[in-house]
Amino acid sequence: MGSHVRTFVLCRMEVRIVLSCEEGSALFSQRSFTLADGGQAVVGRASSEDQPGEDNLFFDCKVLSRSHAVISFVNGQVLLKDTGSRNGTFINRSRLSKPLQGSKEIEIYSQDLIRFGAQVTDDFKCVKEKCIVAKLRVASPSGEELKPRPQDDKCCKYSPVVQEKEAMQKEAPTE
């Protein structure tokens, strides 16, 4: 019952989304923006009309499509959808759709690792163009971080939270 009440309350408010640059990413400043219920934000390659900023999801990154993906907040869920990009959108290493095909909306959670695009390498495996790799944080307007991905979720297999727990379990002394 508690989670239903929490979801109902979230439907009537807004969420704060924060994307932080992760290792291996094209460099970008932290992005932070608010979505009201029914709101959405386009993820895409910067252009003369859409300049990168700390409050938007436009990036100076050649491996992104102009309109690469969409993050939305609907009925208490934060959702991610690939809009048919060539180089893909990934949640915890899981690609959402085939190249040039849009995906279904997939719920995303705090602590997910989100990747937009794929790195481009030359014949010698040197990286020529980096993609965008970001740690996601979803919070209530008061700043309370919302729930991480459930462990039984198919996108959870590579979740940083699960990997950290597994590493701690391996390091724990056995009796």
Side-chain angles (χ1 to χ4, degrees), residues 40-100:
Q40 65 179 27
V42 174
V43 178
R45 184 178 69 239
S47 67
S48 58
E49 298 88 34
D50 299 311
Q51 291 294 309
E54 293 180 3
D55 63 348
N56 69 41
L57 295 174
F58 293 106
F59 299 92
D60 283 322
C61 183
K62 293 180 182 177
V63 300
L64 266 64
S65 301
R66 276 256 175 106
S67 177
H68 192 94
V70 174
I71 295 177
S72 57
F73 181 54
V74 180
N75 296 326
Q77 293 182 310
V78 180
L79 305 168
L80 177 62
K81 176 182 180 174
D82 187 294
T83 57
S85 70
R86 178 178 304 279
N87 294 317
T89 300
F90 302 77
I91 301 172
N92 302 322
R93 297 187 188 166
S94 295
R95 188 172 182 149
L96 301 187
S97 61
K98 293 180 181 180
L100 304 175

Side-chain angles (χ1 to χ4, degrees), residues 140-161:
S140 68
S142 67
E144 176 190 357
E145 187 165 350
L146 301 183
K147 62 186 178 184
R149 182 170 297 282
Q151 288 192 18
D152 60 349
D153 188 289
K154 73 174 187 148
C155 288
C156 191
K157 184 166 122 181
Y158 299 108
S159 168
V161 173

Side-chain angles (χ1 to χ4, degrees), residues 102-151:
S103 72
K104 296 178 183 176
E105 290 184 314
I106 305 291
E107 188 170 9
I108 52 179
Y109 297 85
S110 270
Q111 304 304 315
D112 276 349
L113 193 65
I114 307 296
R115 188 175 97 207
F116 301 108
Q119 291 189 13
V120 176
T121 58
D122 62 18
D123 293 338
F124 303 104
K125 305 282 185 199
C126 293
V127 176
K128 291 177 69 173
E129 296 291 338
K130 290 186 173 184
C131 55
I132 298 297
V133 182
K135 174 72 69 83
L136 176 71
R137 183 172 177 266
V138 182
S140 68
S142 67
E144 176 190 357
E145 187 165 350
L146 301 183
K147 62 186 178 184
R149 182 170 297 282
Q151 288 192 18

